């Protein structure tokens, strides 16, 4: 199969969502503007997620998986997905499906001109506390990174793989993907996408993860920006 696009699906205790994930992504593959495959990254789930993932992958040749030995966090799951991608383009979507797979086509339509295209959740269907904490965290992050992005927490992104593989890993990485592309002198763009309420399973992140944690991560980003090595090879033999 000459795949062009890999969708990473991080999974942590999402047994109640995985049947819908299979249905939605199978339907998306049929309408995708790039030949697409799916990569589940099971982040040490303790429920029946792994059993369901293996059944899905057995029944669908376009689906594959990685299973962690233990829970390592969303940033590790995304990074593992990047490292195990062999297509020119890579993206990810959360397994709670609060964003729509078909909106990947909106992002893919822009990716030739840019190196990362991210969704912005329009008319978010989250609680007031979650929305407010996210708004504050995004404002603080923009002040530190100057990335101009309104919603880096949106779990719908497409990235050129050669850029994704050069992103150094640290916890909280997923909030800084646009900024990390800018450090590589890449071009980024944001596009409004649909957003839906979670209908199964439980959110894995509380106020600390949405507000206090990102503030601390901003200082880690500043340190990394100062130390970051970026180079382009002009000629080789």
């Amino acid at each position: 199969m000459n795949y062009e696009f890999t969708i990473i699906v991080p999974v942590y205790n999402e047994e109640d969502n995985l049947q819908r994930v299979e249905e939605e992504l199978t339907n998306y593959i049929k309408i995708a503007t790039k030949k697409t495959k799916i990569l589940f990254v099971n982040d040490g789930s303790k429920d029946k997620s792994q059993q369901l993932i293996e059944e899905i992958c057995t029944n669908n040749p376009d689906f594959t998986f990685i299973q962690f030995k233990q829970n390592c966090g969303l940033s590790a799951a995304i990074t593992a997905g990047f490292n195990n991608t062999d297509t020119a383009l890579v993206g990810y979507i959360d397994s709670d499906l609060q964003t729509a797979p078909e909106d990947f086509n909106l992002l893919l339509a822009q990716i030739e001109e840019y190196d990362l295209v991210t969704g912005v959740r329009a008319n978010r269907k989250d609680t007031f506390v979650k929305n407010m904490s996210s708004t504050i965290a995004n404002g603080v992050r923009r002040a530190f990174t100057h990335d101009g992005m309104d919603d880096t927490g949106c779990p719908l992104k497409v990235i050129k793989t050669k850029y994704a593989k050069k992103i150094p890993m640290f916890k909280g990485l997923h909030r800084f993907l646009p900024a990390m592309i800018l450090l590589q002198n890449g071009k980024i763009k944001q596009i409004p996408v649909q957003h839906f309420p979670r209908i199964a399973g439980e959110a894995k992140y509380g106020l600390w993860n949405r507000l206090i944690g990102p503030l601390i991560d901003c200082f880690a980003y500043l340190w990394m920006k100062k130390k970051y090595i970026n180079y382009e090879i002009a000629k080789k033999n």
Side-chain angles (χ1 to χ4, degrees):
M1 292 284 189
N2 295 317
Y3 293 106
E4 303 168 279
F5 179 41
T6 300
I7 298 175
I8 299 164
V9 186
V11 176
Y12 180 59
N13 295 342
E14 293 285 2
E15 62 181 9
D16 294 332
N17 277 312
L18 285 171
Q19 181 178 352
R20 192 163 66 97
V21 169
E22 177 185 15
E23 293 172 358
E24 293 282 342
L25 289 175
T26 298
N27 289 336
Y28 172 68
I29 286 173
K30 296 173 183 177
I31 63 166
T33 54
K34 302 285 185 183
K35 180 64 177 175
T36 300
K37 63 179 177 178
I38 312 301
L39 174 60
F40 288 112
V41 182
N42 183 1
D43 184 20
S45 296
K46 297 178 175 62
D47 62 0
K48 295 180 181 178
S49 291
Q50 182 60 27
Q51 176 185 332
L52 294 171
I53 287 171
E54 293 188 24
E55 290 174 2
I56 291 169
C57 293
T58 298
N59 296 329
N60 299 275
D62 298 318
F63 288 67
T64 57
F65 73 86
I66 296 169
Q67 181 186 17
F68 285 178
K69 287 185 177 180
Q70 60 190 22
N71 177 245
C72 297
L74 179 57
S75 293
I78 292 171
T79 302
F82 290 167
N83 291 341
N84 286 274
T85 292
D86 58 6
T87 53
L89 299 173
V90 62
Y92 79 88
I93 188 170
D94 278 355
S95 48
D96 60 16
L97 289 182
Q98 286 192 257
T99 49
E102 60 262 31
D103 283 348
F104 273 121
N105 283 349
L106 299 176
L107 309 187
L108 288 169
Q110 302 290 329
I111 195 61
E112 217 170 290
E113 189 176 344
Y114 295 90
D115 304 303
L116 174 146
V117 184
T118 181
V120 178
R121 291 167 285 190
N123 192 21
R124 284 185 66 174
K125 301 297 192 295
D126 288 322
T127 64
F128 173 80
V129 171
K130 186 173 182 180
N131 284 339
M132 184 56 65
S133 60
S134 180
T135 298
I136 295 170
N138 274 303
V140 171
R141 190 211 67 258
R142 279 195 305 274
F144 276 79
T145 65
H146 305 290
D147 61 10
M149 299 288 102
D150 297 315
D151 184 19
T152 60
C154 179
L156 199 74
K157 291 180 173 60
V158 175
I159 311 172
K160 288 178 179 171
T161 303
K162 64 181 181 180
Y163 284 86
K165 287 182 178 292
K166 289 176 64 178
I167 297 174
M169 160 125 124
F170 66 91
K171 290 185 178 180
L173 163 80
H174 59 281
R175 303 182 187 98
F176 294 86
L177 292 179
M180 299 308 295
I181 299 302
L182 290 178
L183 284 184
Q184 299 179 48
N185 298 319
K187 296 171 63 179
I188 61 177
K189 184 179 179 66
Q190 57 184 1
I191 295 175
V193 296
Q194 303 172 84
H195 189 247
F196 307 94
R198 175 185 270 270
I199 64 173
E202 297 180 358
K204 307 303 187 295
Y205 303 99
L207 184 62
W208 170 268
N209 302 89
R210 296 191 200 103
L211 190 56
I212 309 301
L215 176 60
I216 294 173
D217 292 339
C218 283
F219 292 99
Y221 167 79
L222 289 181
W223 178 88
M224 181 172 293
K225 181 178 180 180
K226 184 177 180 180
K227 302 292 185 180
Y228 188 75
I229 297 173
N230 188 42
Y231 64 89
E232 294 182 43
I233 296 175
K235 186 182 295 186
K236 65 183 295 185
N237 187 358

